[in-house]
């Protein structure tokens, strides 16, 4: 196990629902530089059962009460999408750093308001785009930054599988639920186009931006048949790379996620696994210089714990943010909004890119 350091970030997790149970609570317990200081959930029976398993120092049913605790240093917002922005703003205004689940928000407007709050607070906000902490993708990024030279083209795909729940049920712990859990009004799955884009497209767009930088324009087409949705998105990047993104929910086969990227001094081919296997992507990096392919093992594929450790490091030591920041979160939401508009109009849609632009 990773040894606990002397100074550890005191983290409160808002929400004890599935994503907290599958990822964040264990990440806090395992992280070398963070502790699970508190859990907050509106459902008292759920809170009691989860607290019994993870033994935080404190429990809260009221979020404001958790934020009023002077010993709490940071919050992981692990609620449904609709509350990411308001709960993050509250935490920042209470002087806490924030690690918020993806997507950072559901509209460009609300994320702009969050950006104002981040800037006003001077606190760190990291978006839970945990794939950036997949060691395979980290190796790809290192090659891109150091050796790849100019990029030519990216093809990236994220195809959810019809068999995904059978697969995840087999490996995830049985989730604890309660009838008293707080849910946003309305059914987020009422509009499946929007729901799939926010839930899954946010990963695809962030991975594309992580690899190739700012997206400047999209032209998207959507096919809907037999209950499946397929977006093909022609993507322009600011660095001139040609892009093609494929978001399909769900393919009639195994989970299918990865990318290929061609560059001046080499190429990368990546296969990413369903995240709940905690297995690093298989990333084959071909170096033109010695005509050799390298692939890191990435033995530690706990992306969620690794993203928390990077977040805690930034908060505790002032280390530069390695995870997605508010500008990355905003850019992803902008790109997803542009994809939806392009599907609607059939036209190419520009994506505002300037950091700091409104
Ligand atoms: N990073 C990933 O790969 C990944 C995977 C799955 C889900 N997610 C994200 O996780 C989020 C969904 O998480 P979930 O399924 O656990 O959500 P959920 O809605 O099932 O559970 C959230 C919990 O938070 C509690 N809660 C909400 N607001 C509260 C408040 N103000 N005070 C106290 N308690 C409150 C609820 O009672 C509930 O128990 C989504 O944003 C989704 O995008 C991310």
């Amino acid at each position: 196990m990773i040894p606990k350091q002397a100074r550890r970030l005191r983290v409160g997790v808002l929400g004890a629902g599935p994503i907290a149970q599958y990822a964040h609570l264990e990440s806090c317990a395992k992280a070398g530089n963070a502790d699970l200081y508190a859990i907050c959930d509106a459902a008292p029976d759920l809170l009691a059962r989860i607290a019994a398993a993870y033994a935080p120092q404190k429990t809260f049913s009221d979020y404001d009460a958790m934020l009023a605790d002077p010993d709490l240093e940071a919050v992981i917002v692990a609620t449904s999408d609709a509350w990411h922005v308001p709960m993050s703003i509250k935490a920042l205004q209470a002087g806490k750093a924030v690690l918020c689940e993806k997507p950072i928000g559901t509209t460009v407007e609300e994320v702009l308001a969050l950006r104002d709050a981040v800037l006003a607070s001077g606190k760190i906000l990291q978006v839970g785009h945990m794939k950036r902490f997949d060691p395979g993708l980290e190796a790809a990024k290192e090659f891109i930054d150091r050796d790849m030279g100019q990029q030519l083209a990216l093809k990236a795909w994220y195809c959810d599988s019809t068999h995904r729940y059978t697969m995840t049920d087999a490996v995830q712990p049985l989730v604890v639920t309660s009838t008293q859990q707080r849910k946003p009004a309305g059914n987020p799955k009422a509009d499946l186009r929007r729901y799939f884009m926010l839930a899954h497209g946010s990963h695809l767009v962030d991975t594309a931006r992580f690899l190739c930088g700012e997206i400047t324009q999209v032209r998207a087409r959507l096919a809907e048949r037999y209950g499946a949705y397929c977006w093909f998105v022609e993507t322009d990047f600011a660095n001139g790379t040609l892009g093609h993104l494929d978001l399909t929910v769900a393919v009639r086969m195994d989970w299918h996620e990865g990318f290929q990227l061609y560059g001046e001094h080499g190429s990368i081919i990546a296969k990413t696994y369903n995240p709940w296997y905690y297995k690093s992507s298989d990333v084959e990096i071909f170096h033109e210089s010695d005509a050799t392919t390298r692939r890191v093992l990435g033995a530690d594929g706990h992306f969620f714990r690794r993203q928390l450790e990077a977040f805690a490091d930034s908060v505790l030591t002032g280390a530069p943010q390695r995870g997605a920041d508010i500008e990355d979160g905003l850019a992803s939401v902008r790109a997803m909004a542009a994809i939806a508009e392009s599907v609607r109009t059939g036209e190419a849609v520009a994506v505002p890119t300037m950091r700091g632009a409104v």
Side-chain angles (χ1 to χ4, degrees), residues 48-132:
R49 288 182 65 184
I50 298 302
Y54 286 94
Q57 286 189 42
K58 301 203 175 155
T59 58
F60 298 89
S61 53
D62 178 60
Y63 185 44
D64 291 330
M66 181 165 86
L67 292 180
D69 185 321
D71 291 332
L72 180 81
E73 295 176 293
V75 174
I76 296 179
V77 176
T79 65
S80 54
D81 300 354
W83 288 318
H84 289 178
V85 165
M87 297 303 125
S88 294
I89 290 178
K90 270 187 173 226
L92 293 165
Q93 289 176 344
K96 316 297 181 188
V98 174
L99 171 58
C100 181
E101 260 306 338
K102 45 54 62 180
I104 189 59
T106 56
T107 65
V108 171
E109 292 68 30
E110 69 163 356
V111 182
L112 286 169
L114 175 58
R115 182 174 66 176
D116 290 345
V118 172
L119 293 174
S121 71
K123 295 287 167 190
I124 284 173
L125 179 139
Q126 183 173 312
V127 188
H129 286 298
M130 81 298 178
K131 289 177 191 284
R132 292 181 178 226

Side-chain angles (χ1 to χ4, degrees), residues 175-239:
V175 71
V176 180
T177 59
S178 160
T179 54
Q180 298 175 73
Q181 282 173 284
R182 193 170 293 173
K183 300 281 175 189
N187 174 10
K189 295 189 180 175
D191 181 347
L192 281 178
R193 286 184 179 193
R194 185 176 159 76
Y195 176 78
F196 289 149
M197 183 54 66
L198 289 169
H200 303 292
S202 54
H203 283 303
L204 178 63
V205 167
D206 186 68
T207 298
R209 292 187 64 262
F210 180 57
L211 299 170
C212 299
E214 298 298 343
I215 295 172
T216 54
Q217 179 169 282
V218 294
R219 182 193 286 272
R221 292 184 300 155
L222 169 63
E224 282 184 46
R225 290 188 178 178
Y226 52 81
Y229 295 69
C230 175
W231 284 260
F232 274 7
V233 185
E234 230 177 270
T235 310
D236 296 357
F237 291 90
N239 67 4

Side-chain angles (χ1 to χ4, degrees), residues 131-149 151 206-214 239 259 261 268 270 283 285 296 322 328:
K131 289 177 191 284
R132 292 181 178 226
F133 296 92
D134 174 327
L137 268 62
E138 286 177 319
K141 178 71 170 148
E142 202 178 302
F143 176 70
I144 290 165
D145 291 344
R146 287 193 191 167
D147 299 318
M148 187 173 229
Q151 297 180 343
D206 186 68
T207 298
R209 292 187 64 262
F210 180 57
L211 299 170
C212 299
E214 298 298 343
N239 67 4
F259 65 87
L261 175 57
I268 309 174
V283 178
I285 302 175
V296 296
R322 292 200 291 119
D328 293 309

